[in-house]
Amino acid sequence: MGFKTDAIHAGQEPDPATGAVTIPIYQTSTYVQEGLGKHKGFEYARTQNPTRTALEKNMAVLEGGVAGYAFASGMAATTALTQLLLKQGDHAICSDNVYGGTFRLFDKIVRHYGIEFTYINTSDLRNVEKAMRPNTRMVFIETPTNPLMSITDIRGVSELAHGADCRVVVDNTFMSPYFQRPLELGADIAVHSTTKYLNGHSDSVGGVAVLKRKEDAERLQFIQNAAGAILSPFDSWLVLRGIKTLPVRMEAHHANGMAVAQYLARKKEVRKIYYPGLPDHPGYGLAKKQMTGFGGMIAFDLGGLDRAKRFLERVKLCSLGESLGGVETLISHPATMTHASVPAEERARLGITDGLVRISVGIEDVEDVIADLENAFAALA
Ligand SMILES: Cc1ncc(COP(=O)(O)O)c(C=O)c1O
């Protein structure tokens, strides 16, 4: 079936009990068993829940994997992947410009289990080749990165990693499977914060991982049950509901994102703009090859903390807040918000300056979003 059809139907048969077209929220902790060892495949809700299963099957189809597993947050999904892929003595490679919380998890928690991490600019494949070691078991990339929108060649990284016994994980949160399908490009696992575009309405926190290899899928299912950071039935239902409109929302985010990026590129107050859909973005050519749209995430530099502060305190329609991927436009200040956990020197090295502003362009009338930004630019006059 086509992507739009799968987004609405995959994993979602009419409810066998009533014929309800929408999968019910199975708000139960356990299931009655007919006798010892005799049940309908459901024993305890940490292990199996039909609402969560529907979301997991849906996401497995959309990402083209053998199975998907849903977790309590994007970070819980990534934590489970580290439990799947890494053990004491192993080495992992990570893009140096990932979501700050991912860096925090690896650097402040996982590293203490005797696992070494190397952070590199994965948009240059030579860096990946150089960083690979005999004990490298995971390459974790985010493309485009948060917040600088740098693009990594998923196929190129996968070819390098698969020369060794090493899995490639792609955080596909910014693009969603509608615009980018990492498993088709050679990666082993796609991970998402469903909190963002998949749910799309800023009313749920969750995560999902989709796997290409059966043996990885079986092990991750074991970890999901054993460690227990599952997505609730209600959140699973919200994300399923969000995914039904993912294609139309992503098209709208892309159209509005492009219009806002082109507007920002013309503003003299903007020192630098990061949007992979602009031809002078260094990753433009690669983005056109491995993505089918550029999405609604843009970062731009206003040249200093005071200027960013004045600008962000003037916006009205664009809500100042962390997170992204909702229908409403959200605007944030990475250095003090999403990336505050990245040390200041490292932020400076990466280009996450104090003047950097990130905008997640929503699907409002784009003229209204631009008028709000125009009004905020007046604060810099
Ligand atoms: C790219 C990316 N990955 C992962 C996460 C973590 O997801 P969650 O907040 O659902 O734990 C975020 C959150 O902002 C993100 O932006």
Side-chain angles (χ1 to χ4, degrees), residues 72-76 78 99 102 142 144 146 171 173-174 192-196 205-207 323-324 338 358:
S73 66
M75 291 322 305
T78 299
Y99 166 60
T102 303
E142 206 176 279
N146 181 357
D171 185 332
T173 298
F174 271 30
H192 288 270
S193 166
T194 61
T195 317
K196 313 296 175 348
V205 171
S323 202
L324 59 106
T338 48
R358 187 189 78 180

Side-chain angles (χ1 to χ4, degrees), residues 287-359:
K288 267 198 1 188
K289 266 207 286 183
Q290 70 180 14
M291 293 147 48
T292 52
F294 299 113
M297 296 302 300
I298 306 166
F300 55 101
D301 200 327
L302 293 177
L305 180 61
D306 176 59
R307 290 168 66 78
K309 187 168 181 290
R310 275 189 281 151
F311 183 86
L312 290 168
E313 285 174 359
R314 180 74 84 94
V315 286
K316 286 199 184 76
L317 176 66
C318 305
S319 310
L320 176 62
E322 299 203 9
S323 202
L324 59 106
V327 288
E328 60 289 289
T329 298
L330 284 168
I331 199 158
S332 68
H333 184 243
T336 57
M337 297 165 83
T338 48
H339 289 66
S341 55
V342 178
E345 327 75 73
E346 183 62 7
R347 283 202 307 269
R349 193 184 67 75
L350 294 171
I352 305 174
T353 58
D354 286 351
L356 194 75
V357 170
R358 187 189 78 180
I359 182 165

